[in-house]
Amino acid sequence: MKFTTLYSTIIIAALTLSGCSSYNALHLSKQQLPEVSNPTSTPYTYYKIDPPLYNGDVVQYELQNGSSGTLTVKKTTPQTLISDKGLVINLSDLASLKRKDISKGKTAAAVGTGVATTVVVAAVVFTAAVGAGFAAMLSAS
């Protein structure tokens, strides 16, 4: 019976820690600072990512030229996305951007399935142990 408790603890911990993830779309919008009174200056353009990206976020991107990939964000600037491997992507070149997030619903379903499986295994082990005990008692008499 000790092993059943140990196995159930390991299964629940593994499922909880692994978590299930999904890629959620981010909204990228081009922003422009108002023009200053100086007629020779050009307006400053920057990009707003909503919700914002942070160091360590994993994102899937697709560029307007059709190429795509996955990267881990090291830094964002007003006009670029910089990966932990030094790849620099201009935000103006992006066609789509998605961030990898933990899915609470999928994780809950996985944990629930793990718990149910553990209960079934524990019941089978318990039934087998009780049956073996009865068999031992009958053969001893």
Side-chain angles (χ1 to χ4, degrees):
M1 212 50 172
K2 286 187 338 188
F3 291 114
T4 305
T5 305
L6 176 66
Y7 290 143
S8 63
T9 303
I10 290 171
I11 290 171
I12 291 170
L15 289 171
T16 303
L17 293 175
S18 67
C20 297
S21 59
S22 300
Y23 281 93
N24 297 320
L26 300 174
H27 182 68
L28 184 68
S29 60
K30 185 177 180 180
Q31 306 286 315
Q32 212 169 31
L33 289 178
E35 291 186 41
V36 285
S37 59
N38 183 355
T40 59
S41 69
T42 58
Y44 180 75
T45 301
Y46 66 98
Y47 291 84
K48 181 179 176 186
I49 302 171
D50 189 37
L53 289 174
Y54 298 100
N55 183 13
D57 282 345
V58 176
V59 295
Q60 281 183 341
Y61 64 91
E62 184 176 341
L63 301 178
Q64 292 178 1
N65 67 10
S67 63
S68 61
T70 302
L71 62 85
T72 301
V73 175
K74 179 179 181 183
K75 179 181 172 184
T76 59
T77 69
Q79 296 176 342
T80 61
L81 185 62
I82 303 168
S83 80
D84 60 345
K85 296 186 174 151
L87 176 66
V88 178
I89 296 176
N90 289 323
L91 295 175
S92 61
D93 294 338
L94 287 174
S96 72
L97 187 63
K98 297 178 182 179
R99 177 177 43 210
K100 185 176 188 179
D101 292 320
I102 299 293
S103 173
K104 293 176 186 173
K106 288 180 183 177
T107 302
V111 170
T113 302
V115 170
T117 302
T118 303
V119 168
V120 169
V121 168
V124 168
V125 169
F126 178 75
T127 304
V130 169
F134 278 128
M137 276 186 0
L138 290 175
S139 66
S141 32

